[in-house]
Amino acid sequence: MSPTSKSTDRRRFLKRAGGLAVVALAPSAATRVAWAAAPSGADYRKLLVLIELRGGNDGLNTVVPYASSTYYALRPKLAIARDQVAKLSDSAGLHPALEPLLPIWNQRELAVLQGVGYPSPNLSHFRSIEIWDTASRSEEYLQDGWLTRTFSSAPTPRSFAADGVIIGSPDLGPLAGGGTRAIALANTDQFLRQARLAAAEGQARNKALAHILKVEADIMQAASHLNANYAFRTEFP
Amino acid sequence: MFPRAFTFCILFAGVSPIASASALGSAPLSYDDARHLLNRTGFGATSSEIERYVGMSREQAARKLLDGARTTALTPPPAWTAEVGPLRYPRPGDNASQMERKLFQQEQVREGLELRGWWLSEMLATPSPLTERMTLFWHNHFVSSQQKVKLALLMYRQNVTLRAHALGNFGDLLHAVARDPAMVIYLDSAQNRKGTPNENFAREVMELFTLGEGRYAEQDIKEAARAFTGWSIDRDSGRFMFRPFIHDDGVKTVLGKSGNFDGDEVLDILLAQPATAEFVVRKLWREFVSPDPDEQEVSRIARRFRDARYDIKVALNDIFTSDAFYAKQSRASLVKSPIDLVVGTLRQFNMAPSEPTPFAVAAAGMGQNLFSPPNVKGWPGQETWINTSSLLARKQFLERLFRGDDPSRMAALPRTERMVPEMPRQALQQGELDPEKARQIRFLRAMERGMQSVQFDSAKWMSQVSSAPDPARRAADAERVLLATAPQAEPDAPGDPLALVRSLVLDAAYQLK
């Protein structure tokens, strides 16, 4: 499966799911009204898709410093030959498999950030991901993801199925923490079946119960908007 | 009459109303009080356990719990914990091959799983659930994680240390943890050398273990870090080792005190600060009482805790006998942790899994992976336990346990509703899958078998909970033992014990304690 077909596949899912996405895409009459009601400054007519590739990645062979003699000296066998690199600039180019990205690079729709890190790193992968998800300072430990904080300052319209949907991982990442209406699912069918276990009835007698009831209601609202007949072509673990 | 009443008022002036009420003695524990006490201090108390505490005074009940505290585990640990000799740890200079490193990693994962299963078994088997709850509390206070420490053996030894002091003396515990090898690795003490200090441990010992944020200056951390230089581990034995050659012998100034301090002296300076006792008591309050500590009570209990030279039982006794602990607004105010939910449910329903590891893995799937808290601050707990993903994981776990005694019902369920999706059996047998995927599938299958190993006999359980002939009365008795607050939804079919239990455990109220 090519990367292109995978991404259109997900986009179709998101479209069918209505307002179910980090930000709504399908301009139905109902959501148009909802945008009008959204707080000033927040434009929810765009869809933000974040793709996180888990596991190891050879950064230097993804964005290749092809003008560097040190790179070739240190990688006598692994280096990508200069003439195979999909050039982005005089010094950096993409691995040949990423050549399909060149058109959007040329249209100035693609950016590459290299060497992202934090001061005195403790080399823990988990800590890096935490900083990445919460956009915290290196010595700061935040519970809420950066999107969670964004949505709490600019809430989405209540008519949206959810603030965001996480596909293929139970981990809420940048949507973790209090307040967001985020759902995680690996396939729609399974989510809908599980969602039947949620029930938002009764009244909250304290903060803890109020929180649980809110989460149950979020699950039900998302489930009510979700298209059960949509099956991903990608299999998630 | 008047002068007497007047004297009475004078006597208690300046004492908080809560303290005065306790001093006057409390009413004997009701069933609900006893249930509350046992579920907060242990995991999923059964009806017969609750009955044993009914009628006791708060003081008697607290004493019984505290006197029962243990210092060692009952469950035999995995055989590899007895290992002595050099740590099997490929070090950077070892020139270990890729394969050796991979094997080491797999071995640590396997041992880590056994370790989680062992602790979960102890939580299920222990005659003193409070001991395990406090061990878990300290695990979440003095955080170390196998993610960084790697060696399951060191995580085991740390757990033994935490349990030995769990209800002992906080000062002893702090000193023991500071030289615990897993901690030395986790907070980089081994990299802390004279001239090139690593401040990680010094920072966390102040911020997270003793004083709490904002009670010290950046300079205190820098100076304290110098006092801990040379605290290291001996790679051959895996035990703590002080390396005098890299220890900074200069004068340090910490929190206004100056001297050629070593690490232990700095810890004593931290223990002498009133803020330390308050910080720990506030955390105990959130663990046992409610999410909102009563500051007046915290400082009263903290003062007694410090005066008792940090005897943990003194602090716990004060908490377990306080009015706030039993107050109506404290009931059902805490969210069950995944361990509360998993261990509590298994204990509550007398389920004895033949294989405990799958249940530790289930708790990990809900966000609480024993021996691997998410970061140095530990699991934040309470409302952060519940999000759309974890709540569905919790409910699915419960739904699965109470699916039914009838195997035909299980067989009739659609495949995807099982915990682990049906695996490509043929592909597995024919070796068509890559080894990593195949291993993962075998692991998930083993988990599935473990989950299936617990049986729930609803009729038997019901008869233990209630002898009432009337179904509505029986339903009320079941509700009383299972829920800390009234259910959100009217329970289904009170006549069918399994349907009743299912609707009660799937109710939002079951997520609370």
Side-chain angles (χ1 to χ4, degrees):
Chain A
M1 190 186 289
S2 78
T4 341
S5 79
K6 216 182 258 180
S7 66
T8 41
D9 202 34
R10 302 223 182 136
R11 190 170 302 154
R12 240 175 51 229
F13 156 73
L14 293 168
K15 204 176 230 172
R16 289 183 189 198
L20 216 182
V22 173
V23 192
L25 182 77
S28 72
T31 45
R32 249 184 247 277
V33 175
W35 292 328
S40 59
D43 180 0
Y44 286 121
R45 272 168 297 183
K46 287 181 181 158
L47 179 74
L48 174 64
V49 180
L50 303 170
I51 298 170
E52 184 177 320
L53 303 172
R54 294 216 169 167
N57 174 256
D58 181 348
L60 288 177
N61 272 13
T62 305
V63 182
V64 184
Y66 70 88
S68 157
S69 55
T70 321
Y71 168 71
Y72 289 99
L74 291 174
R75 294 193 162 191
K77 287 184 195 153
L78 281 175
I80 311 265
R82 202 183 162 107
D83 58 350
Q84 285 179 26
V85 171
K87 296 186 177 57
L88 299 176
S89 71
D90 292 345
S91 57
L94 297 174
H95 186 279
L98 294 173
E99 214 175 295
L101 294 176
L102 274 185
I104 59 168
W105 170 262
N106 293 329
Q107 290 157 35
R108 305 182 66 78
E109 296 275 343
L110 177 70
V112 177
L113 301 180
Q114 282 182 288
V116 177
Y118 63 97
S120 31
N122 72 358
L123 306 184
S124 156
H125 162 78
F126 301 95
R127 180 63 191 139
S128 300
I129 286 289
E130 243 171 52
I131 293 173
W132 184 249
D133 285 341
T134 60
S136 72
R137 287 182 292 127
S138 62
E139 74 283 23
E140 189 181 33
Y141 292 85
L142 299 179
Q143 277 165 31
D144 291 348
W146 63 271
L147 280 172
T148 302
R149 299 204 301 278
T150 306
F151 287 126
S152 72
S153 62
T156 58
R158 292 304 297 174
S159 59
F160 281 19
D163 291 337
V165 55
I166 294 94
I167 301 163
S169 156
D171 188 352
L172 301 187
L175 286 159
T180 46
R181 297 181 297 141
I183 58 159
L185 53 87
N187 77 65
T188 47
D189 195 41
Q190 189 189 23
F191 177 82
L192 288 172
R193 227 174 311 100
Q194 286 184 4
R196 277 187 229 136
L197 298 172
E201 309 183 40
Q203 89 249 39
R205 277 167 234 116
N206 61 36
K207 251 164 49 192
L209 190 53
H211 175 73
I212 292 165
L213 295 178
K214 181 199 164 289
V215 172
E216 300 223 31
D218 289 349
I219 293 168
M220 289 174 70
Q221 183 171 0
S224 71
H225 285 63
L226 204 61
N227 184 347
N229 297 321
Y230 188 84
F232 295 132
R233 268 187 273 159
T234 311
E235 227 187 279
F236 296 104
Chain B
M1 282 305 282
F2 180 71
R4 254 185 91 165
F6 184 71
T7 326
F8 186 84
C9 289
I10 297 285
L11 262 174
F12 287 97
V15 180
S16 82
I18 286 164
S20 61
S22 303
L24 289 172
S26 54
L29 300 191
S30 68
Y31 184 92
D32 288 348
D33 294 338
R35 177 193 181 280
H36 175 69
L37 175 69
L38 293 182
N39 282 347
R40 285 290 174 89
T41 57
F43 309 96
T46 63
S47 221
S48 61
E49 286 168 328
I50 296 168
E51 294 290 358
R52 262 177 262 147
Y53 282 78
V54 173
M56 285 187 191
S57 70
R58 288 177 187 176
E59 292 72 19
Q60 285 171 322
R63 197 169 313 125
K64 185 172 160 70
L65 284 171
L66 295 170
D67 286 350
R70 298 175 57 88
T71 51
T72 54
L74 195 73
T75 310
W80 49 261
T81 58
E83 267 171 40
V84 286
L87 299 177
R88 295 154 294 125
Y89 201 125
R91 291 170 237 176
D94 280 359
N95 260 333
S97 69
Q98 200 100 19
M99 191 49 126
E100 283 169 323
R101 282 174 200 281
K102 200 161 176 127
L103 284 174
F104 165 78
Q105 216 164 31
Q106 281 169 8
E107 183 184 61
Q108 294 312 315
V109 168
R110 184 176 51 74
E111 291 184 358
L113 282 169
E114 284 176 28
L115 190 59
R116 286 160 176 85
W118 165 75
W119 195 4
L120 195 115
S121 295
E122 180 63 12
M123 292 175 185
L124 291 172
T126 181
S128 171
L130 174 61
T131 303
E132 296 316 304
R133 183 171 285 288
M134 284 306 292
T135 306
L136 183 55
F137 175 84
W138 296 123
H139 174 43
N140 199 36
H141 184 79
F142 297 111
V143 169
S144 300
S145 165
Q146 199 196 351
Q147 304 281 17
K148 176 158 178 178
V149 175
K150 304 278 189 265
L151 286 158
L153 178 64
L154 298 188
M155 294 308 295
Y156 166 74
R157 288 182 186 161
Q158 183 179 72
N159 184 268
V160 168
T161 299
L162 295 176
R163 186 174 294 96
H165 297 282
L167 286 109
N169 182 285
F170 177 75
D172 294 347
L173 177 58
L174 178 66
H175 281 276
V177 164
R179 52 184 70 223
D180 173 75
M183 182 61 79
V184 167
I185 294 174
Y186 187 68
L187 288 181
D188 307 312
S189 300
Q191 273 86 58
N192 187 16
R193 298 150 175 272
K194 179 180 182 174
T196 55
N198 183 307
E199 292 161 10
N200 223 358
F201 180 76
R203 180 179 305 280
E204 306 310 357
V205 78
M206 291 191 203
E207 179 183 332
L208 300 171
F209 301 168
T210 59
L211 303 171
E213 235 175 315
R215 306 282 188 151
Y216 50 85
E218 204 55 28
Q219 191 59 28
D220 292 318
I221 292 172
K222 290 192 192 308
E223 298 277 301
R226 292 172 51 216
F228 290 108
T229 47
W231 286 38
S232 185
I233 56 171
D234 174 13
R235 290 280 178 174
D236 288 334
S237 66
R239 303 287 175 182
F240 176 80
M241 184 188 226
F242 177 65
R243 299 179 190 273
F245 296 115
I246 53 169
H247 177 69
D248 183 336
D249 264 326
V251 171
K252 301 108 189 165
T253 303
V254 179
L255 297 165
K257 295 201 162 50
S258 297
N260 170 18
F261 299 135
D262 63 16
D264 284 316
E265 286 165 320
V266 167
L267 295 178
D268 287 333
I269 291 171
L270 299 176
L271 287 167
Q273 297 280 321
T276 295
E278 285 176 13
F279 183 71
V280 174
V281 169
R282 209 171 284 121
K283 201 159 179 179
L284 286 168
W285 187 288
R286 290 204 188 90
E287 171 72 22
F288 289 106
V289 184
S290 78
D292 314 297
D294 173 336
E295 284 304 319
Q296 215 179 348
E297 274 289 85
V298 166
S299 59
R300 176 182 72 86
I301 297 169
R303 203 160 42 239
R304 282 173 44 86
F305 184 33
R306 205 158 62 95
D307 288 349
R309 306 187 65 78
Y310 287 106
D311 181 342
I312 296 164
K313 285 184 180 175
V314 168
L316 290 181
N317 182 69
D318 279 8
I319 289 172
F320 299 162
T321 54
S322 70
D323 281 356
F325 180 84
Y326 286 101
K328 200 165 183 293
Q329 62 268 29
S330 298
R331 310 283 172 110
S333 65
L334 298 178
V335 176
K336 285 179 183 169
S337 69
I339 289 294
D340 276 324
L341 194 81
V342 171
V343 174
T345 302
L346 292 172
R347 279 186 81 110
Q348 182 83 77
F349 293 99
N350 306 310
M351 292 171 170
S354 56
E355 173 49 59
T357 307
F359 293 89
V361 173
M366 300 171 200
Q368 192 173 25
N369 189 7
L370 294 173
F371 297 104
S372 292
N375 59 47
V376 65
K377 289 178 89 171
W379 296 287
Q382 193 56 1
E383 279 146 38
T384 66
W385 287 129
I386 307 273
N387 60 39
T388 51
S389 182
S390 64
L391 184 60
L392 287 180
R394 285 166 170 245
K395 292 210 172 192
Q396 199 186 8
F397 168 78
L398 294 166
E399 196 271 341
R400 209 177 165 304
L401 280 184
F402 300 101
R403 189 162 279 164
D405 336 52
D406 178 4
S408 65
R409 220 172 127 175
M410 173 72 195
L413 281 163
R415 285 173 161 193
T416 44
E417 244 181 79
R418 298 188 184 162
M419 198 77 171
V420 179
E422 199 60 24
M423 300 305 172
R425 196 173 294 263
Q426 251 187 333
L428 185 65
Q429 281 164 357
Q430 292 166 2
E432 284 167 15
L433 291 169
D434 77 276
E436 197 62 45
K437 180 101 181 155
R439 188 164 36 247
Q440 194 189 351
I441 289 172
R442 278 193 209 98
F443 172 74
L444 289 173
R445 284 240 181 92
M447 293 295 110
E448 182 77 354
R449 280 195 301 275
M451 291 290 288
Q452 280 166 3
S453 75
V454 292
Q455 294 294 323
F456 176 55
D457 185 339
S458 57
K460 187 175 167 203
W461 182 81
M462 204 60 217
S463 70
Q464 289 162 351
V465 166
S466 181
S467 52
D470 169 26
R473 187 60 231 244
R474 280 207 301 274
D477 288 343
E479 187 181 310
R480 206 169 164 206
V481 70
L482 292 179
L483 303 183
T485 184
Q488 293 294 298
E490 199 60 37
D492 291 346
D496 172 359
L498 183 63
L500 173 70
V501 167
R502 271 175 58 92
S503 78
L504 290 173
V505 298
L506 290 174
D507 195 280
Y510 190 70
Q511 304 296 331
L512 301 173
K513 61 174 178 178

